[in-house]
Amino acid sequence: MRILIVEDDPLIGDGLKNGLRLLGYAVDWFVNGQEGDHALRAVHYDAVVLDLGLPSEDGVTLLTRWRQAGIDVP
């Protein structure tokens, strides 16, 4: 299973990444919405962990755009 993390806080992002990798997941971590958006459109992910309070573009806006584009990854 491949998981995308979009989280700008280094402590939270690193903890999630390392914990999920220890459980056997393939994990990609990005610190802003633009990079996360590009990754989600380029690679198949089974799940996304999305920070709602991203600095440049909030997670709700990003999620809304994904849903409007037909991207339904949980």
Side-chain angles (χ1 to χ4, degrees), residues 4 35-45 62 65-66 69 71:
L4 170 64
E35 291 176 343
D37 186 42
H38 289 296
L40 186 62
R41 293 172 188 274
V43 176
H44 170 76
Y45 289 97
L62 193 56
R65 186 171 51 230
W66 289 342
I71 300 170

Side-chain angles (χ1 to χ4, degrees), residues 13-57:
D14 191 54
L16 284 168
K17 178 189 74 171
N18 290 328
L20 289 167
R21 284 185 176 167
L22 284 173
L23 293 171
Y25 296 103
V27 179
D28 294 324
W29 169 34
F30 297 96
V31 297
N32 66 56
Q34 184 178 10
E35 291 176 343
D37 186 42
H38 289 296
L40 186 62
R41 293 172 188 274
V43 176
H44 170 76
Y45 289 97
D46 298 293
V48 177
V49 178
L50 177 62
D51 181 3
L52 298 181
L54 295 167
S56 60
E57 178 177 43

